[in-house]
Amino acid sequence: MATDWRRWVVYQIYPRSFADSDGDGVGDLRGILAHVDHLARLGVDVVWLSPVYRSPMDDNGYDISDFRDVDPLFGTLAELDELIAALHARGIRLVMDLVVNHTSDEHPWFVGSRSSRDSPQRDWYWWRDPRPGGTPEPTNWESHFSGSAWELDERTGQYYLHLFSRRQPDLNWENPQVRAAVHAVMRWWLDRGVDGFRMDAVNLISKDLALPDVEPRPGSPYGRGDEHYVCGPRMHEFLQEMHREVLAGRPGHVLTVGEMPGATVADAVLSTDPARRELDMVLPFDHVRLDHRAHRYDLRDVALPALKKTLAAWQSAERGWYALYWGNHDQPRAVSRFGDDGAHRVASAKTLATVLHLHRGTPFVHQGDELGMANAPMRTIDDFRDIQALNFHAHAAARGDADPALLAAMGRMSRDQGRTPMQWDASPNAGFTTGTPWIAVNPDHATVNAAAQVDDPDSVFAHHRRLIDLRHTDPVVTEGDFTLLLPDHPRVWAFLRRGRDAELLVVANFSAERVAVRLPVDDGWAGAETVIANLPGEPAVPEPTLRPWESFVVRRGR
Ligand code: TEU
């Protein structure tokens, strides 16, 4: 077991879509327990488990009504204990999803808070009076799930803030009792044996107390309030307090991953500087927003140099540590978005993995990435399940804007694409369930599935396993510095990682064309040892002709 957490690779499980043991069409803990050997075989060090807590499931569990229990849909606390033990027995750690920017509206804290203006918990959430001018809501901020970020509570005549669904009221972190309650939840889970937290939207916990309005979007009374709550004034203070109160002095390493939509490189460097005692790593969004114009369904093409430079910007700083990912449960499938899910699915899935795993940071494998799972056909509104997609479409329809172009963009970019069932085998529901799956299985599971890959040395799965092994055995992968080569090349992604005693050269063709390239490295690279390649043959360094989606890593001593 690697002891330096920087050598760990994280695997994300979205429990609803991983494996269903009881035939209700929804994945569960027993389903995960049945597949722990898949994870051990892949060689990952950490599992990040998306929420399994009690929840009304307005946002598939990111709306929590009891932080200290498992929802019956997923199983029981005893089964979660069993899962922790089964993972630990294989040297794999478990990281829980800590969702504390908000709770469910059914959480007892919110039920108490909304019961009256005098409730002792009133101040645990953001309550404000209607205002006379502007929008009746206290600010004109738009929710991430469409419409106002404020909801009127008729009974007490005040609005409460919800940056996400109206059933996800934002906690008021200004109140020290709220922070203490969150710390207690974290200690409770650590005492139970979990090994860390992926902290949901943790850079939204500190808001500008003046609650200023923003410039509305054209044609709408509302606009994105980001500038008033992304990495807000007290965020670092709250993270440092959390470290002091919960993490300091714990035995072993408690892994902390801060999901930070909208954070800058400077924010991430501050949050992950070990001397400041905040977080291990930041999960960034820059690269998954390059293709958005006004919103996630208003798409533009991204030229390769922009993508390369975005990832390179996370690497150059001496300090700063990032979660590296192409996809997760909020993003479409990597191979469909950044690769080629047609003729070059296998080659491009491997190349995406090579480039990601060889960057400096911690690679995150989203369930199914290790198989090269692609986007599924989603064509009509009935194909979607996600509250973000459904609300967006309903709001567009109300304005008369729900045209075929919107559905096409939703089919490419919806969060549901990252949530289609895990493809275990070629059987009718891909081995995911014996019942009716809650969201359709991708028909390509007839060929793209785990059973077909785990024993095949040429599979996308085997390629991931080799990359994970490489990180465990070659310190240059974690420790080496980073230099982007040919930053403006439109097709080739190449970089150097230089460690104390050795260096790695990574070269990838991000296109379906053959590309001849002269790499700006010395001739001493000729004959360097190939450590990983996705196509057969010895690469001709430093002047290779790359086949479609070809990639390789070569190594030499210093
Ligand atoms: O996501 C936070 C977030 O800001 C985005 O990834 C979000 O999906 C996007 O803004 C919607 O357009 C986290 C979780 O990963 C996501 O699944 C939850 O819905 C969200 O927080 C609320 O808990």
Side-chain angles (χ1 to χ4, degrees), residues 140 142 147 214-224 294-295 392 399:
N140 68 347
E142 182 163 53
V214 288
E215 190 64 40
R217 276 192 299 109
S220 166
Y222 309 118
R224 290 172 68 121
H295 53 77
F392 194 96
R399 292 190 308 269

Side-chain angles (χ1 to χ4, degrees), residues 116 122 142 245 258 288 292 330 339 379 445-446 460 473 499 502 518:
S116 87
R122 188 65 168 179
E142 182 163 53
E245 294 295 321
V288 292
H292 299 10
D330 293 334
R379 299 199 179 93
H445 74 273
V460 178
T473 52
R518 169 81 179 110

Side-chain angles (χ1 to χ4, degrees), residues 59 62 102 144-145 198 200 259 261 285 296 329-330 415:
D59 185 18
Y62 280 89
H102 44 269
H144 287 249
F145 293 160
R198 173 269 187 191
D200 191 71
E259 189 208 26
F285 279 68
R296 71 187 296 141
H329 67 293
D330 293 334
R415 309 198 302 178

Side-chain angles (χ1 to χ4, degrees), residues 176-436:
Q177 291 176 326
V178 167
R179 305 201 300 274
V182 168
H183 300 158
V185 166
M186 294 175 75
R187 280 189 220 102
W188 189 86
W189 279 105
L190 290 172
D191 291 343
R192 210 168 182 98
V194 309
D195 305 286
F197 301 99
R198 173 269 187 191
M199 303 175 188
D200 191 71
V202 76
N203 65 328
L204 312 184
I205 57 179
S206 163
K207 281 92 171 158
D208 178 344
L209 294 181
L211 300 180
D213 267 349
V214 288
E215 190 64 40
R217 276 192 299 109
S220 166
Y222 309 118
R224 290 172 68 121
D226 291 32
E227 61 196 279
H228 303 304
Y229 54 73
V230 165
C231 298
R234 298 184 71 188
M235 177 188 80
H236 294 294
E237 176 197 333
F238 293 159
L239 291 175
Q240 287 171 4
E241 178 188 57
M242 179 190 281
H243 194 287
R244 221 172 33 243
E245 294 295 321
V246 180
L247 308 175
R250 285 266 163 187
H253 184 81
V254 180
L255 195 71
T256 53
V257 183
E259 189 208 26
M260 294 205 179
T264 62
V265 171
D267 294 323
V269 167
L270 283 178
S271 302
T272 61
D273 178 352
R276 293 170 53 89
R277 295 172 194 275
E278 295 182 21
L279 300 170
D280 288 330
M281 69 187 92
V282 160
L283 198 142
F285 279 68
D286 318 85
H287 64 314
V288 292
R289 288 187 170 168
L290 288 173
D291 55 5
H292 299 10
R293 261 188 286 243
H295 53 77
R296 71 187 296 141
Y297 305 126
D298 179 12
L299 297 171
R300 64 171 157 228
D301 289 333
V302 179
L304 187 66
L307 186 60
K308 293 191 283 190
K309 289 174 193 178
T310 299
L311 267 72
W314 307 337
Q315 311 274 306
S316 44
E318 279 287 293
R319 293 160 302 151
W321 195 262
Y322 281 87
L324 306 166
Y325 69 95
W326 291 127
N328 56 40
H329 67 293
D330 293 334
Q331 302 295 335
R333 289 286 168 182
V335 76
S336 300
R337 186 183 196 178
F338 298 103
D340 178 337
D341 62 8
H344 302 291
R345 190 185 59 81
V346 170
S348 70
K350 291 176 181 174
T351 284
L352 284 168
T354 296
V355 165
L356 191 79
H357 284 243
L358 267 294
H359 271 77
R360 187 171 160 273
T362 297
F364 278 54
V365 180
H366 180 44
Q367 62 185 44
D369 281 356
E370 78 278 28
L371 309 175
M373 271 177 60
N375 279 357
M378 293 186 187
R379 299 199 179 93
T380 76
I381 193 64
D382 299 332
D383 294 332
F384 297 91
R385 300 285 177 273
D386 177 26
I387 181 171
Q388 193 281 336
L390 298 177
N391 280 6
F392 194 96
H393 191 267
H395 277 260
R399 292 190 308 269
D401 286 345
D403 53 20
L406 172 60
L407 268 182
M410 284 171 57
R412 280 175 62 190
M413 290 300 296
S414 161
R415 309 198 302 178
D416 280 326
Q417 289 293 6
R419 305 175 178 188
T420 61
M422 180 72 175
Q423 294 167 204
W424 294 106
D425 59 38
S427 70
N429 284 320
F432 164 70
T433 181
T434 53
T436 306

